Every structure is written in structure tokens, then in C-alpha cells.
Amino acid sequence: MKKILAMAAVVALTAGVSGYAANVNDNVKFSGDVGVKFTHIGDKDSSNNDVSANPYLAHVRVQADADVNEQVSVSGRFTYSKVFGDLTNLPDILTENISESRIDRLHVMYKPVEGVKVDLGRTGVQLGNDGIFYDNSFDGVVASYDNGKFAVEGGIGKIRSLEISGIGFKSPETIDAKYIKGSAAINDNVNVGGFVTRATVSDTDFDFYGINAKADVIDKVSVFGDYVKSDTPNDCAFKDIGVVYGKATEEVGTWQAGLTYYDVDQNMHVLFGNHPLATHLFLASSHGGSFWTAQAKATVMKDVSVGTFLNLNGHIADKDVPNSWGLEVNYAF
């Protein structure tokens, strides 16, 4: 995998320099964002004392994209994140890296014909609707075909960023994985899909099978759902169903709000993670449980968005879990 990243880095650097030398205005584009997020992680100890944590996460991301020619483009992104606040009540795995700087994207994209793309290097991979099975820095090779009505994608590589805490920490381990997924538009309002993934954790292979659907039911209202099974000893399953109203875009004044219900069996390995506060998800996947998440997002000024989320009515290992919530502000440039 290091050879793949090295190859991607060499190609990206060579192509990027060539593109810059040719015409920096047309061939190289810079973008990024700066954000601050406050999170209240509700928790109680065995004596029912409040041991909640209230961290702040600040991040800066800078991305560069370059078109080498009509078929080849390269992209890279540098990310720095810093967590402030008292985290002493969280598990050690979540507090090992309080600050982090890394290149979380570095890949070459090749589009030989319309609808076909090959992605080499460090990129993002998502399975299903809700981003629960998601890796922000997947090291490997991804190939896809999309004609607008039918899409298929396959990849092989390593899962890197298991954002299990929801406040910016990454797992120190990488997991070998391969997957294939597909989706189809039934009509203009309904889309269905599915995926199969094999992941190797501590020299043990686990298979995951998922199906998902999303539908626009009325104006501005959409519903979605996921069902994922794994071949772990307990034959575990992950289920979610949600509804979203509106759509937050770059246009000032646009907004959206949603509510999602999650049900996770004990020992269901959630290998990916892109949940606003994945502490509930992490605990549920380890001990079994269910919870609700409410979210809202709005574009309040040009390039400025605000968001909020609330995890509520959580029942983990047959015990009630205190609510957790957060606020975030993001500026894109």
C-alpha cells in the first residue's frame, strides 16, 4: 500500500507542477475550509455522577486540484485538527492524539471514457446512505462506472480514519478491506443500492452485506434506510431509518433538518464512521443498543454554514445513555 501511495504522490507532484507551470489560473485550484465544533458528550459513572466531557474541535483543511489533461486530474488535501477541553473521562484510545496534522487526501483520477473513473491513492469511500460506513482516507485503488441511472464501484486497500469519537480522533490502526457496491435509479424519486465488504481485523476476516434505499416522497422531503449484516459469531445487524426536510446548499438562506433512528446489535463492527457524534454508535456496536439523532444545518452567510446535532433517547447495553449534542460553524474558501 505504501507503493500505491508513493506512486500516487509522484504522479500528483509531477502533474501538479506541470499544470502549475502551464497555467496556474486554469489548471490548479485551491480551496478549503476552517471550522470550530463544540461537543457535549453526556456520561455518568457507576455512582450516577455526571462525568460528561465538553471538548472543542478546531480544524483547517487546504485542498489543491489540478487537471493534467481531459482524462487525468490530481488532488491533495492537508488537514490540521486540534481538540481543546477536558477529555479525561473518555477512553484512552480517544485521547492519544489531541492534535493532528496529516495529508488525508492524495490521489490521481483517470477517466478514460464517459462514466468510467479509476482513483489511485488516498481518497474517500462511502457505503450506504447515511455515511456510517465511511472512510475519509482510504488508501488503495477504486474503480467505478456511472451512467446516471446505474452505478457500480469496487475498491481494495486500507481503511484509515475510523472517526469513532465524532470529535476528530482517528484510530491508530489500519484495516485491510475490499468492497463492491452498486446503485440504481428506479425512477426520478427512488434510488436503491447494496454493497459487499470484506475486512481483515487482527488476522480475522469479516464479511458485511448491506442494502439501502432513498426516496423523495414529497416536495423537499426525503426518506432513507440502511440494513447491514455481518458474519460475526452473533450474526449481527445494523439498521437505520431517517427523514430529511430541505437541502442546505451554498446559497444563503438554504437549510435542512433531519431525524434518524439507529439500531445496532452487540459486536457489530462498524468499521467506518462519519456520524456527528459517534460515541453512541461506538458504544452501541460494542454492547448493543439504539438511539435517535436529530440534525440541522443552514447556510447563514456567503461561504458560512452552521450546524447542530442531538443524540437522544439512547439505550446502550439495556441502560439509558445521557443525551449528547453539539454545535459547529464552518467557513469555506
Side-chain angles (χ1 to χ4, degrees):
M1 196 54 58
K2 290 183 178 180
K3 292 182 179 180
I4 290 177
L5 277 179
M7 184 187 305
V10 170
V11 175
L13 180 60
T14 303
V17 171
S18 299
Y20 185 88
N23 192 326
V24 67
N25 292 323
D26 294 335
N27 287 14
V28 180
K29 297 180 180 179
F30 291 93
S31 60
D33 63 280
V34 179
V36 178
K37 179 178 179 180
F38 168 78
T39 305
H40 170 79
I41 304 177
D43 195 13
K44 291 185 178 181
D45 61 17
S46 57
S47 300
N48 205 37
N49 296 315
D50 184 18
V51 290
S52 301
N54 297 282
Y56 291 82
L57 168 67
H59 78 265
V60 179
R61 296 187 295 191
V62 179
Q63 180 166 320
D65 301 285
D67 293 327
V68 180
N69 53 46
E70 293 183 354
Q71 296 179 321
V72 179
S73 60
V74 297
S75 180
R77 187 172 70 186
F78 170 81
T79 297
Y80 173 78
S81 59
K82 175 72 175 180
V83 177
F84 305 88
D86 183 10
L87 303 174
T88 56
N89 298 316
L90 297 182
D92 290 341
I93 190 174
L94 306 183
T95 59
E96 289 180 353
N97 299 309
I98 301 301
S99 64
E100 182 181 45
S101 59
R102 64 179 181 140
I103 297 177
D104 64 343
R105 293 289 175 89
L106 183 61
H107 55 127
V108 182
M109 292 154 285
Y110 174 53
K111 300 178 181 179
V113 296
E114 183 70 23
V116 176
K117 182 173 73 171
V118 179
D119 203 332
L120 171 69
R122 181 169 294 175
T123 186
V125 168
Q126 177 170 323
L127 307 175
N129 285 309
D130 200 30
I132 295 300
F133 292 80
Y134 173 83
D135 182 25
N136 191 46
S137 299
F138 182 83
D139 287 348
V141 180
V142 176
S144 62
Y145 171 73
D146 188 347
N147 65 6
K149 293 185 177 180
F150 172 80
V152 62
E153 178 181 299
I156 181 170
K158 288 183 178 293
I159 301 170
R160 292 185 57 87
S161 60
L162 298 167
E163 301 183 22
I164 54 178
S165 71
I167 54 174
F169 295 113
K170 309 298 184 294
S171 170
E173 300 179 359
T174 59
I175 298 172
D176 293 324
K178 55 182 74 73
Y179 74 92
I180 185 169
K181 70 175 184 177
S183 63
I186 304 301
N187 52 46
D188 292 340
N189 298 320
V190 180
N191 189 280
V192 297
F195 67 86
V196 178
T197 303
R198 166 160 288 194
T200 303
V201 184
S202 301
D203 297 324
T204 302
D205 291 334
F206 295 95
D207 292 325
F208 297 82
Y209 313 89
I211 56 175
N212 53 80
K214 183 177 181 180
D216 298 324
V217 290
I218 58 176
D219 185 35
K220 296 184 179 181
V221 177
S222 61
V223 295
F224 64 87
D226 296 86
Y227 181 82
V228 182
K229 290 280 289 185
S230 72
D231 64 348
T232 53
N234 295 329
D235 195 28
C236 303
F238 165 90
K239 293 152 281 188
D240 70 7
I241 185 169
V243 58
V244 177
Y245 177 84
K247 184 176 182 179
T249 66
E250 295 179 354
E251 183 180 351
V252 177
T254 57
W255 61 277
Q256 67 184 57
L259 182 66
T260 307
Y261 173 74
Y262 299 95
D263 190 320
V264 190
D265 290 342
Q266 184 178 8
N267 296 323
M268 175 68 185
H269 296 285
V270 180
L271 296 176
F272 299 58
N274 188 32
H275 194 270
L277 182 62
T279 306
H280 279 58
L281 184 65
F282 175 63
L283 292 174
S285 66
S286 298
H287 306 289
S290 63
F291 62 96
W292 294 80
T293 295
Q295 292 179 262
K297 181 180 179 181
T299 304
V300 295
M301 297 173 57
K302 179 177 173 56
D303 301 323
V304 178
S305 63
V306 297
T308 182
F309 56 89
L310 169 66
N311 284 355
L312 68 158
N313 199 31
H315 302 282
I316 310 297
D318 297 325
K319 296 181 180 180
D320 292 342
V321 179
N323 295 346
S324 297
W325 54 274
L327 300 168
E328 58 185 318
V329 179
N330 201 70
Y331 169 71
F333 57 86

